[in-house]
Amino acid sequence: MGVLIMRPKIFLGLVALSTVAAVAACVGDDPATSSGSGDDGGSNSDATIGDGAISQGDSGDKDAGGNKDAASAPDADDGGIAAISGLSLWLETDGLTPGLLGSWNDQSSHHNNASAPANDFPIVSPVGVNINGHPVVTFDGGDPYFSVSDSTSLQPDATGFLIEIVERSPAATLSTQGVPWVLFDKQSNAAPYGGPSIYVFHDTTAERLTSIVSSYETDASVTTPSGLDDTPPHRIKLLLKNVSGMTCALSVQIDSTTPVTKTVIADANFAAADLPLYIGRSSSFLVFPYTGDVAAIIAVRTPSDDDVARVDTYLKGRYGL
């Protein structure tokens, strides 16, 4: 399984043309962009939930689906994650029960809850399908995805930003080779394509993960080396670290491999302000769906070195990575 970035305009200089998939713009017309407020002062409202779907409630009580509000009571043994001042998104699966998931609640104080559009729910997989004993949310490569309304806490800028994801995606098939699987996307659809994105890419000639590609804009993209071992699960890490002024180091890493880093200059478009975050699909016409399981997503705005180390240690220990 591999990782790749999309837009032809963006990535012609990053990967071979044969591996770049074109993506157009158009977020505004998507119904998912209207679900919830997401600003720092309050919580997002749940998406419209169809029959049989699970929606985590804001009260902390278990709802009819049996799922407890993950935002209400983080684990006591959270590795100090809750104490990180810049914590902006904390999605994990403990407490969820198998079934359709309409709303995945954020455990950070910002309540950046992830909502699925009606009738396109990701699934909390049955007991036995897990990562180190923890449940997973499964994306089937079709319609299911989540969106998170924009908030200041989710707007990366030159001060830095950290995204870490624990995921497990299957080996490529003939139908998925050469197609990017978009895992995390808050990138604008117009040049210079500001905002973060993470793509999993499968080789066009072999069933293996070739690389993880991440970008913040046209000239701020990095990719891991090709030929990665297709042995899941993986911890994917995207780190934007301020160096001086508007100069930043943008790095991407899988597990404990050597990070690939590029020096980039942040500009006014870097934050992708006002754009929703998509999990499991690209913001561009909601294409390039992700296939696989996700157990955790943690994002930190303006992370310190200690914050980064804390998230690293927590996820590696909790998920046996």
Side-chain angles (χ1 to χ4, degrees), residues 109-140:
S109 63
H110 298 288
H111 305 294
N112 290 314
N113 299 337
S115 298
N119 303 317
D120 285 334
F121 306 113
I123 296 172
V124 180
S125 289
V127 175
V129 180
N130 60 73
I131 294 179
N132 202 37
H134 300 279
V136 295
V137 175
T138 296
F139 299 80
D140 64 8

Side-chain angles (χ1 to χ4, degrees), residues 215-289:
S215 77
Y216 268 74
E217 60 175 39
T218 308
D219 299 318
S221 303
V222 291
T223 180
T224 57
S226 61
L228 295 169
D229 183 17
D230 192 16
T231 305
H234 292 293
R235 177 177 58 92
I236 298 173
K237 175 180 177 180
L238 174 63
L239 176 62
L240 180 74
K241 190 70 174 173
N242 183 265
V243 175
S244 177
M246 300 299 285
T247 301
C248 301
L250 176 64
S251 67
V252 60
Q253 179 183 27
I254 298 180
D255 301 325
S256 297
T257 59
T258 301
V260 178
T261 302
K262 178 178 181 177
T263 299
V264 299
I265 305 298
D267 61 24
N269 295 293
F270 233 53
D274 302 326
L275 298 175
L277 160 67
Y278 290 91
I279 300 169
R281 278 198 162 193
S282 166
S283 61
S284 299
F285 294 121
L286 299 180
V287 295
F288 302 141

Side-chain angles (χ1 to χ4, degrees), residues 3-6 10-11 14-15 163-165 181 183-185 187 193 195-201 211-224 236-240 250-254 260-262 264 270:
V3 177
L4 180 266
I5 281 193
M6 58 296 181
I10 304 183
F11 300 106
L14 175 63
V15 288
I163 302 164
E164 295 207 28
I165 301 174
W181 291 358
L183 180 54
F184 184 104
D185 191 46
Q187 191 166 78
Y193 306 100
S197 60
I198 298 175
Y199 289 73
V200 176
F201 190 69
S211 61
I212 294 289
V213 178
S214 300
S215 77
Y216 268 74
E217 60 175 39
T218 308
D219 299 318
S221 303
V222 291
T223 180
T224 57
I236 298 173
K237 175 180 177 180
L238 174 63
L239 176 62
L240 180 74
L250 176 64
S251 67
V252 60
Q253 179 183 27
I254 298 180
V260 178
T261 302
K262 178 178 181 177
V264 299
F270 233 53

